Amino acid sequence: MITRASSRSRERSDVLITQGWGRTAYNVVRSLGRHGLKVVLGTDKFLGMALFSRYPSARFRHPFLTTQTAAFVEGVKQALQRYAPKVYLPISEDTYVAAKYIEELRETGVSIPIAPFETIKKLVKKDEVMSL
């Protein structure tokens, strides 16, 4: 995992966000930052609107979610341990993976405010949405 933080010591933050390349992440980071929260932003490449925002207190690079799922989970776990956020907020397709591995990620003591994996799995399959 490549980081842009100044040191390797445990750093306190309020929120950790992954998949920070899109407009949704930008708006979340901007809003939380404006409210005085320390936001750590992760992405699989150092591109995207949120990375150039002034609001993230730290930035880190995580593996590609779609091709390196196990490495992504491990990278997020390492970031959760390093930055010790109160909340991990997956933004995009990472919500599915976070829900699937939620127990492993919660071992770090973070709160992850997402729906249960079975619900998200059904939502991904459009034909099963009506059964909710």
Side-chain angles (χ1 to χ4, degrees):
M1 174 171 40
I2 300 169
T3 61
R4 282 190 158 174
S6 58
S7 71
R8 292 277 180 196
S9 63
R10 188 170 166 99
E11 303 165 26
R12 298 292 296 163
S13 64
D14 296 306
V15 181
L16 185 134
I17 293 173
T18 49
Q19 292 295 94
W21 46 263
R23 287 186 301 263
T24 303
Y26 172 76
N27 286 307
V28 171
V29 167
R30 185 172 171 227
S31 178
L32 294 175
R34 281 183 168 176
H35 284 89
L37 296 174
K38 289 181 71 178
V39 180
V40 175
L41 181 67
T43 185
D44 53 17
K45 51 189 171 275
F46 280 126
L47 296 172
M49 291 171 59
L51 286 168
F52 297 102
S53 170
R54 66 177 174 222
Y55 292 106
S57 60
R59 296 158 179 85
F60 72 98
R61 186 170 179 190
H62 55 68
F64 286 97
L65 169 69
T66 54
T67 59
Q68 301 170 298
T69 305
F72 171 82
V73 172
E74 186 56 35
V76 170
K77 248 180 104 170
Q78 288 175 9
L80 292 172
Q81 291 166 344
R82 177 176 179 189
Y83 297 105
K86 297 171 188 164
V87 176
Y88 166 41
L89 192 58
I91 294 295
S92 187
E93 294 87 6
D94 51 340
T95 304
Y96 183 87
V97 174
K100 187 172 184 178
Y101 296 94
I102 198 161
E103 293 308 317
E104 188 176 335
L105 295 171
R106 281 188 176 153
E107 289 173 1
T108 63
V110 70
S111 176
I112 307 172
I114 57 175
F117 178 65
E118 290 304 317
T119 302
I120 292 172
K121 193 165 97 173
K122 282 185 179 181
L123 291 172
V124 168
K125 297 179 180 178
K126 304 292 186 228
D127 59 329
E128 292 185 23
V129 170
M130 296 308 291
S131 68
L132 293 177

